[in-house]
Amino acid sequence: AYTFGVAPLQQYLVAFPDGRVQALPLAWDARPEAAGGQRWYHLYPDEPINYRDELHWTGLQQNWNYMCADCHSTNLRKNYDPATDRFATDWVEIDVACEACHGPGQDHVAWAAQAGDGPPAAGANLGLAVRFHDRRGVAWPMDVATGQAQRSGGPITRIEIGACAACHSRRGLVAEGRERDPVYLDHHLPALLTEGLYHPDGQIQDEVYVWGSFTQSKMHERGVTCSDCHDPHSLELRAEGANVCAQCHLPSTFATPAHTGHPENTEGVDCLSCHMPETTYMGVDPRRDHSMRTPRPDLSLAFGTPNACTACHEDQDDSWAAEAFARMYPEAKTPFQHWTTAFHQARAGLPQAEVSLLTVFGKADTPDIVRATAIRELAAYLSPLSGQVVERALRDDSGLVRLAALDVLEAIPPANRIALAGPLLDDPLRTVRGQAAAALAGTPMNQLDLASRGALQRAMKDYWDWQMLNADRPESGLNLGNLSLAAGNATQAERHYRQSLARDPEFTPARLNLVELYRNEGMAGESLALLRQGLEINPDDAALHHALGLALVRSGDTQNAVTELRRAVELAPEAPRFAYVLGVALNSSGQASEAVTVLEQAHERQPNNRELLFALATIERDRDRREQAAGWARALLALNPGDEAANRLLAELE
């Protein structure tokens, strides 16, 4: 029915009778033939994708109405009806037109009719619903001594960047209508610098577009906007290639061997190659990392992050690059982007991550998206110290930070949340109000004064509308089910979880929550049946095998339980919890030697996991292998010398 896209690729959309529009996996490479284009190609050439796969062209992940349309059309309304499971999606213009950024144009047309042919008066809004004033009155005079331009003019504003972020970010849709009022966090919930999306240093990993990387940059901190480099109307750069950087960085200072470490005019050596490396998505679409960072091959050695040096010097390794970089820049300063160690420690589960994350959060020049990510990572390390910081983060000036702090409240007992999240029920941002309402779901009304009750009801409506806007997605049913369960309504929670599974029978989180609901209601048979049904649909789902193993343990069927738990570990060897539970089950069934083997293999993959180490120490102690047990206890203390349980265990063993 439609051709989707112009360059560098085009996809083709098929319209279904229920209003769904789905993207085919065969695309046209629109690049010139000399660049390898003018050909058909498959977007997933190396993956066997059948009709059950989420990437199959008929599935949820290839649905234009949800996945694509909001950013590629103007004034789109998804119009999904959950009662009939149909879409009636419409739009004002099918592509991105003037009104997508500037809002409804009727008043602009009326203004033009009245204004005549003369130039507009200074400060006139031209009848536009949205004006971008970020660059008005701003100049960037060059400081010849440093070779860098310095901003002069009014205060830094973020109106333009928020409008661009609506489409140039990895985010979820919270509310429609941004064309009239482009407050980013009123309409979208952005992804933070989480594992799988970004490398520990913040470089792009998955398809995250550019807002998340740009907001980490020193350019963003100093007030550079998107349109300083890009012309939003022509879609071209303000200057060709690396010359766009020369607007603020003197070539006589920076385009020299002394700065680049390479001979002049060497192929591939320019600002963009070193400071904005490319990653190719969708087979033919290279996109630059906009964090504009200093290449750090030393971090690649320590943490496995990519670096621009070996991206070009493919015949060399990170050790060579790190040594070369150290020779070229022996007095290199501490980089602006300083959070790699903290995020690496947090992802590895190291106890010292708490202090590192607090340090990152507390630095005055840490970008908001990094501070928000640090707060969210602290959920795994809550202590009296970090708890105080999370409490302060709930009152932070940054909406991103407040949102992240609300996520952390899941680790806090519900009775303690009202004092922390209550004030955010009246937050100026819709996303913050909605998340605060979700955090406080189930709060007894007798704990709230009259004003707080009204604020909770209003914020709960924000959250409800947000979820119903996305009712075509299984995540919505999961969220509403969790909301109902928190409020004590198990019947309504079951209905929402069932709706989620109707949208996507392979959506494991909703299935597992429904399994747990049935178990708590004493419906063990229904719980087991739901797990087995899920495994018929997706026999390679490790989480379902693990959950079935736990259910069989509770029913006393140890032999079959171990079989299921073992299968979970085989399918997801990177999940330490699965190995831990299997090890405990084996040990409990008299197979201590095999339990140790399973736990040791998991420890090799996850050497910093406390749970695995403690299980090894206690199982070896119970086998009267005290020397081995003491070794594992010492490994625990090497991770965290203040671990009280490990200290007691070692004292007992010695």
Side-chain angles (χ1 to χ4, degrees):
Y2 304 99
T3 300
F4 185 52
V6 178
L9 72 149
Q10 295 177 356
Q11 287 183 268
Y12 299 90
L13 305 180
V14 177
F16 280 65
D18 59 5
R20 283 183 300 138
V21 179
Q22 300 289 134
L24 288 169
L26 294 169
W28 176 251
D29 184 344
R31 298 175 301 167
E33 188 172 358
Q38 301 301 296
R39 64 186 177 96
W40 295 101
Y41 75 103
H42 201 293
L43 289 167
Y44 310 103
D46 302 320
E47 299 181 50
I49 296 175
N50 66 22
Y51 71 96
R52 283 180 167 173
D53 194 296
E54 65 177 7
L55 293 178
H56 191 265
W57 73 273
T58 59
L60 282 169
Q61 301 305 100
Q62 304 295 345
N63 173 242
W64 169 87
N65 310 70
Y66 174 85
M67 296 294 295
C68 318
D70 183 55
C71 286
H72 289 268
S73 301
T74 299
N75 198 37
L76 183 111
R77 294 295 182 267
K78 186 167 55 172
N79 294 332
Y80 173 74
D81 180 4
T84 61
D85 191 20
R86 297 179 68 88
F87 290 94
T89 305
D90 61 20
W91 53 84
V92 171
E93 294 184 70
I94 196 157
D95 61 355
V96 179
C98 307
E99 291 174 304
C101 301
H102 290 289
Q106 181 177 3
D107 290 343
H108 177 62
V109 173
W111 169 85
Q114 295 172 359
D117 297 329
N125 71 359
L126 314 184
L128 296 172
V130 181
R131 292 296 308 278
F132 301 109
H133 303 312
D134 304 61
R135 301 170 74 223
R136 179 178 292 174
V138 174
W140 291 87
M142 183 63 69
D143 182 342
V144 179
T146 64
Q148 299 188 64
Q150 301 295 324
R151 187 181 187 276
S152 69
I156 295 173
T157 58
R158 308 292 191 194
I159 299 170
E160 177 190 309
I161 290 172
C164 297
C167 292
H168 295 274
S169 66
R170 179 81 169 245
R171 87 293 187 276
L173 186 63
V174 174
E176 295 173 328
R178 68 170 183 271
E179 294 85 359
R180 293 180 180 273
D181 183 25
V183 177
Y184 182 48
L185 292 181
D186 257 352
H187 297 90
H188 305 95
L189 182 68
L192 298 181
L193 309 182
T194 50
E195 187 170 9
L197 297 182
Y198 294 85
H199 294 286
D201 61 351
Q203 289 188 74
I204 60 173
Q205 183 176 358
D206 201 3
E207 191 174 11
V208 291
Y209 314 101
V210 298
W211 174 83
S213 55
F214 180 59
T215 52
Q216 301 173 53
S217 71
K218 191 181 294 185
M219 310 299 122
H220 178 266
E221 182 210 26
R222 295 187 177 176
V224 174
T225 71
C226 307
S227 60
D228 282 318
C229 301
H230 300 269
D231 185 324
H233 300 119
S234 71
L235 309 185
E236 301 294 334
L237 288 171
R238 294 288 183 185
E240 185 176 352
N243 287 329
V244 75
C245 306
Q247 296 179 112
C248 292
H249 302 274
L250 277 179
S252 59
T253 301
F254 294 100
T256 65
H259 179 73
T260 68
H262 295 71
E264 289 187 28
N265 302 319
T266 305
E267 182 180 356
V269 177
D270 59 24
C271 310
L272 304 179
S273 297
C274 295
H275 297 290
M276 299 183 69
E278 293 178 334
T279 302
T280 297
Y281 300 98
M282 303 193 77
V284 300
D285 191 4
R287 301 177 199 169
R288 294 196 178 276
D289 189 310
H290 278 58
S291 56
M292 303 177 201
R293 63 185 63 240
T294 301
R296 291 293 303 276
D298 58 323
L299 294 183
S300 301
L301 275 177
F303 305 118
T305 52
N307 70 84
C309 305
T310 51
C312 283
H313 296 274
E314 295 178 346
D315 58 333
Q316 301 290 351
D317 60 17
D318 293 332
S319 296
W320 169 87
E323 291 172 5
F325 190 88
R327 285 196 307 272
M328 286 188 287
Y329 309 106
E331 299 179 1
K333 298 178 181 178
T334 301
F336 173 74
Q337 288 126 338
H338 53 77
W339 42 85
T340 311
T341 299
F343 289 165
H344 171 77
Q345 290 173 345
R347 294 179 182 187
L350 295 172
Q352 56 265 45
E354 180 183 5
V355 172
S356 298
L357 291 168
L358 291 173
T359 301
V360 166
F361 180 79
K363 286 195 69 171
D365 63 350
T366 301
D368 285 347
I369 192 171
V370 180
R371 296 170 65 239
T373 305
I375 284 292
R376 183 175 288 177
E377 295 286 0
L378 278 171
Y381 302 94
L382 277 184
S383 70
L385 175 63
S386 55
Q388 292 175 18
V389 175
V390 171
E391 187 173 350
R392 289 202 302 272
L394 289 164
R395 304 188 297 271
D396 198 87
D397 289 340
S398 166
L400 269 183
V401 172
R402 298 197 299 277
L403 278 168
L406 283 167
D407 286 344
V408 179
L409 294 189
E410 291 184 10
I412 295 174
N416 299 339
R417 295 178 191 171
I418 184 63
L420 298 171
L424 297 181
L425 294 170
D426 285 317
D427 195 271
L429 295 171
R430 183 186 283 113
T431 48
V432 177
R433 295 194 301 271
Q435 292 288 60
L440 296 175
T443 302
M445 287 297 176
N446 60 14
Q447 292 185 12
L448 305 175
D449 58 30
L450 193 60
S452 297
R453 292 178 195 178
L456 178 57
Q457 290 172 343
R458 290 190 299 273
M460 195 64 76
K461 183 179 186 307
D462 284 330
Y463 188 76
W464 177 268
D465 291 345
W466 172 0
Q467 300 309 316
M468 292 309 296
L469 175 63
N470 296 301
D472 54 310
R473 297 290 299 182
E475 296 89 348
S476 171
L478 173 68
N479 292 337
L480 291 175
N482 294 344
L483 195 73
S484 300
L485 202 59
N489 192 332
T491 301
Q492 187 169 286
E494 178 188 13
R495 178 167 59 84
H496 287 306
Y497 292 145
R498 286 287 183 187
Q499 288 173 341
S500 178
L501 291 173
R503 303 280 176 262
D504 182 6
E506 293 190 47
F507 188 56
T508 297
R511 187 174 297 275
L512 292 179
N513 281 23
L514 185 55
V515 163
E516 188 67 10
L517 186 153
Y518 284 159
R519 186 176 78 84
N520 291 333
E521 294 288 315
M523 302 164 63
E526 289 84 349
S527 179
L528 281 169
L530 195 63
L531 287 168
R532 291 193 168 108
Q533 179 192 59
L535 286 168
E536 287 177 8
I537 297 170
N538 190 355
D540 293 331
D541 191 309
L544 290 176
H545 282 287
H546 179 74
L548 180 56
L550 290 174
L552 292 171
V553 166
R554 287 189 287 266
S555 70
D557 188 354
T558 304
Q559 182 176 350
N560 286 320
V562 167
T563 299
E564 294 297 331
L565 295 173
R566 194 189 309 278
R567 182 60 179 150
V569 173
E570 291 169 354
L571 289 167
E574 73 285 353
R577 180 66 181 174
F578 292 174
Y580 168 79
V581 172
L582 174 59
V584 170
L586 287 167
N587 185 56
S588 299
S589 60
Q591 303 174 69
S593 179
E594 187 178 355
V596 168
T597 299
V598 167
L599 293 168
E600 285 179 339
Q601 290 171 347
H603 168 69
E604 289 177 7
R605 293 187 292 268
Q606 303 281 342
N608 301 314
N609 185 276
R610 182 187 183 278
E611 206 170 37
L612 296 172
L613 286 167
F614 207 88
L616 282 163
T618 52
I619 290 173
E620 292 288 43
R621 177 201 61 191
D622 296 343
R623 296 174 72 198
D624 202 26
R625 289 163 54 91
R626 302 178 73 82
E627 184 177 342
Q628 289 84 349
W632 293 119
R634 292 189 190 98
L636 275 167
L637 292 172
L639 281 179
N640 182 9
D643 189 325
E644 293 182 5
N647 273 301
R648 286 195 302 271
L649 178 59
L650 184 59
E652 170 196 336
L653 292 166
E654 291 179 340

